[in-house]
């Protein structure tokens, strides 16, 4: 049951007024608002970020064009990491701070942030704020929202603070950075990692640290923690030694995160093991570390410690799969989400066995969840295929390069083969749209834009067409 379904249907309570429109239930208007507010807030944040990046103080040399500012703001708010200008050299420290603020707000969730601030200031949340916050955080129960919001704030501060401290210490003692500069580098990359943004203050991203575990591992850890989903983190924190007591969602998220990280690491390491332009020159330890980092990163992180443009085309295709699946629901990751992917796998397995129920961990998966997973996956495939075909037909780049770029945008990853800045302006606008849709989710966006929802009182007779 969604948070919106838990609204009272009898006598309206405090904060809930009867509708004056005949035939409309008191909560019908509120029921549709959280998704719309979420979409509008992300759009507003992108607009504000664009205006800030257009200020002369934001750019180091020439002023940014409207498209450059819009693309960067969209990429930051949608925690993607694709860029059309070099973050390290094009933007001033002020511009870089704006970018960091944008992906912090985008990753945390605009409505989540607003609800948390309201909670800290007033010590209580109104019904509307609870609905909006529940929509943003994928909270199961309205009663859990206060705990979830406080947990999100705590986890964010702890993970980003710890990661920033470790990185800053490494930059000072190993790379000779001044304390102030090291602290800024540590904070920027920690926030970028936890929010799965992938922005870096080095022109080559993190390629200069490919064999440094004190840089790659803390960033990878922050990526995993931020991408697995806040509800999962809180549930694991409450019952770390009782996995049997975890919800089905948490069990799926933990299991599939481990499976995909392992599979991604093995695939990346073996696929690029002998490539002289990527892992080839490294020793065994360096290859394993780089393979692990690149196995984690495509699951919406966007950092790269090896040259993506020099990877084999088969490796690109494998990365496309990892990017499209993405991370956990309710976190900073993108993609169709690992729960969606898992539900589809379970449904296929049940169909192959002739089982009328799709079950996992002794739980029957609701038909509504199956339909939602199918809708999210197919809408995602459609968005990726249409965009890839359009851009590939009107650009000089190969289809595998374009596909990589499009999947990276839709899944809000940020990895690139290096063609983003070379695309035509309207191609970049398409990528902006993909990042926006990919961050909010096709179903969420469609629901937010729908004028009204319908409930059928009469169902048609059932029939089964021939499939296959």
């Amino acid at each position: 049951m969604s948070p919106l379904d838990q609204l009272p249907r009898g006598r309206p309570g405090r904060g809930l007024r009867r509708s004056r429109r005949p035939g409309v239930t008191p909560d019908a208007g509120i029921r549709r608002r959280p998704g719309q507010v979420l979409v509008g807030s992300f759009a507003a944040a992108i607009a504000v970020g664009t205006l800030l990046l257009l200020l002369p103080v934001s750019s180091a040399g020439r002023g940014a064009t409207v498209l450059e500012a819009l693309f960067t703001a969209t990429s930051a708010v949608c925690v993607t990491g694709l860029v059309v200008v070099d973050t390290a050299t094009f933007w001033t420290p002020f511009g870089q701070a704006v970018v960091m603020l944008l992906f912090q707000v985008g990753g945390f969730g605009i409505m989540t942030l607003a609800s948390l601030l309201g909670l800290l200031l007033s010590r209580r949340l109104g019904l509307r704020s609870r609905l909006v916050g529940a929509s943003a955080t994928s909270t199961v129960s309205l009663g859990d929202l206060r705990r979830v919001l406080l947990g999100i704030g705590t986890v964010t501060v702890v993970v980003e603070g710890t990661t920033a401290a470790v990185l800053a210490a490494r930059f000072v003692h190993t790379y000779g950075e001044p304390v102030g500069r090291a602290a800024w580098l540590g904070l920027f990359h920690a926030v970028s990692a936890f929010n799965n943004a992938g922005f870096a203050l080095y022109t080559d991203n993190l390629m200069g640290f490919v064999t440094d575990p004190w840089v790659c591992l803390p960033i990878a850890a922050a990526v995993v923690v931020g991408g697995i989903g806040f509800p999962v983190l809180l549930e694991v924190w409450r019952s770390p030694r009782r996995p049997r007591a975890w919800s089905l969602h948490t069990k799926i998220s933990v299991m599939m995160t481990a499976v995909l990280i392992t599979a991604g690491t093995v695939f990346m390491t073996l696929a690029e093991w002998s490539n002289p332009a990527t892992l080839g020159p490294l020793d065994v330890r360096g290859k394993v570390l780089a393979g692990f980092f690149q196995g984690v990163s495509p699951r919406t992180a966007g950092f790269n410690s090896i040259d993506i443009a020099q990877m084999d085309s088969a490796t690109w295709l494998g990365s496309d799969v990892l990017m499209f699946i993405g991370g956990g629901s309710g976190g900073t990751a993108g993609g169709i989400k690992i729960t969606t992917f898992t539900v589809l796998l379970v449904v296929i397995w049940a169909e192959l066995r002739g089982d009328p129920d799709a079950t996992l961990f002794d739980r029957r998966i609701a038909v509504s969840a199956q339909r939602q997973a199918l809708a999210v996956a197919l809408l995602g495939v459609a968005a990726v295929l249409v965009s890839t075909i359009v851009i590939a037909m009107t650009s000089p780049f190969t289809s595998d390069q374009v596909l990589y770029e499009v999947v990276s945008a839709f899944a809000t990853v940020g990895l690139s083969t290096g063609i983003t800045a070379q695309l035509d302006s309207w191609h970049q606008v398409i990528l902006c749209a993909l990042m926006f849709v990919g961050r909010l989710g096709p179903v969420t966006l469609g629901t937010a834009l729908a004028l009204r929802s319908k409930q059928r009182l009469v169902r048609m007779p059932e029939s089964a067409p021939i499939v296959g």
Side-chain angles (χ1 to χ4, degrees):
M1 180 179 294
S2 70
L4 301 181
D5 294 327
Q6 301 183 28
L7 287 171
R9 299 185 181 277
R11 183 179 178 180
R14 184 178 180 181
L16 189 64
R17 296 180 299 176
R18 290 188 182 275
S19 173
R20 298 180 180 179
R21 294 174 55 191
V24 179
T25 58
D27 60 329
I30 298 177
R31 191 183 287 265
R32 291 189 297 268
R33 292 176 186 172
Q36 294 176 343
V37 172
L38 188 61
V39 172
S41 299
F42 267 77
I46 291 172
V48 172
T50 300
L51 293 177
L52 290 175
L53 292 177
L54 284 173
L55 296 176
V57 70
S58 295
S59 52
R62 64 171 179 82
T65 65
V66 173
L67 182 57
E68 289 170 342
L70 173 64
F71 192 97
T72 303
T74 303
S75 182
V77 172
C78 297
V79 292
T80 304
L82 287 176
V83 295
V84 291
V85 294
D86 182 18
T87 306
T89 59
F90 186 87
W91 304 112
T92 63
F94 175 83
Q96 294 169 359
V98 170
V99 172
M100 184 182 73
L101 178 63
L102 290 176
F103 58 66
Q104 176 73 87
V105 170
F108 196 78
I110 294 177
M111 289 300 96
T112 305
L113 178 61
S115 298
L116 178 59
L117 292 177
L119 174 63
L120 296 178
L121 292 175
S122 64
R123 299 291 183 177
R124 71 189 287 264
L125 286 175
L127 178 60
R128 178 180 175 82
S129 298
R130 284 174 178 264
L131 291 175
V132 173
S135 176
T137 60
S138 301
T139 308
V140 175
S141 170
L142 286 175
D144 293 337
L145 182 57
R146 180 188 180 97
R147 175 176 50 80
V148 169
L149 291 177
L150 289 175
I152 291 173
T154 302
V155 170
T156 299
V157 171
V158 170
V159 175
E160 290 181 356
T162 303
T163 306
V166 173
L167 293 177
R170 187 64 171 178
F171 291 143
V172 169
H173 294 293
T174 303
Y175 299 98
E177 295 283 0
V179 175
R181 171 68 175 172
W184 169 239
L185 290 172
L187 178 63
F188 187 95
H189 291 94
V191 175
S192 182
F194 180 72
N195 290 285
N196 281 216
F199 283 89
L201 294 182
Y202 296 95
T203 301
D204 61 356
N205 205 274
L206 298 180
M207 290 173 57
F209 309 99
V210 61
T211 59
D212 190 341
W214 288 97
V215 172
C216 293
L217 292 183
I219 288 179
V223 166
V224 173
V225 172
I228 198 172
F230 298 113
V232 174
L233 291 176
L234 295 178
E235 189 169 355
V236 173
W237 176 263
R238 290 200 311 266
S239 306
R241 298 182 180 180
R242 298 178 57 199
R244 291 182 177 272
W246 294 348
S247 66
L248 178 61
H249 173 79
T250 296
K251 291 178 180 178
I252 291 175
S253 298
V254 173
M255 177 189 70
M256 290 304 296
T257 295
V259 169
L260 290 177
I261 288 177
T262 302
T265 299
V266 173
F267 171 76
M268 290 292 178
T269 304
L270 295 180
E272 295 294 313
W273 184 272
S274 301
N275 189 336
T278 55
L279 299 186
L282 305 178
D283 57 20
V284 174
R285 181 181 177 183
K287 290 179 179 179
V288 173
L289 177 61
F292 169 75
F293 192 80
Q294 291 308 137
V296 171
S297 190
R299 300 186 57 249
T300 81
F303 291 106
N304 63 283
S305 60
I306 58 178
D307 191 353
I308 301 297
Q310 299 300 320
M311 284 182 172
D312 187 78
S313 58
T315 310
W316 285 347
L317 185 58
S319 297
D320 291 337
V321 174
L322 291 174
M323 291 190 293
F324 189 76
I325 295 173
S329 300
T332 56
I336 63 171
K337 303 297 190 296
I338 51 180
T339 45
T340 302
F341 178 70
T342 304
V343 168
L344 293 177
L345 288 181
V346 172
V347 170
I348 293 173
W349 178 243
E351 191 65 27
L352 291 176
R353 294 188 305 164
D355 194 334
D357 296 326
T359 58
L360 183 63
F361 294 116
D362 298 325
R363 290 292 184 270
R364 177 166 48 88
I365 298 177
V367 175
S368 60
Q370 299 176 33
R371 293 175 61 181
Q372 291 170 5
L374 182 62
V376 169
L378 290 182
L379 287 173
V381 170
V384 168
L385 288 182
V386 171
S387 301
T388 300
I389 291 172
V390 170
I391 296 178
M393 290 179 62
T394 56
S395 72
F397 303 107
T398 61
S399 298
D400 51 358
Q401 286 178 303
V402 174
L403 177 63
Y404 194 94
E405 212 77 9
V406 167
V407 174
S408 181
F410 173 78
T412 66
V413 178
L415 293 175
S416 173
T417 59
I419 68 173
T420 309
Q422 304 174 47
L423 292 171
D424 292 339
S425 58
W426 67 280
H427 292 155
Q428 295 173 358
V429 171
I430 292 177
L431 294 183
C432 284
L434 284 170
M435 289 187 286
F436 189 80
V437 172
R439 173 58 181 141
L440 298 178
V443 174
T444 302
L445 184 61
T447 302
L449 297 178
L451 294 177
R452 59 187 304 174
S453 60
K454 296 181 180 180
Q455 183 176 2
R456 292 188 178 273
L457 301 179
V458 178
R459 301 180 68 183
M460 297 296 105
E462 185 178 277
S463 181
I466 300 175
V467 177

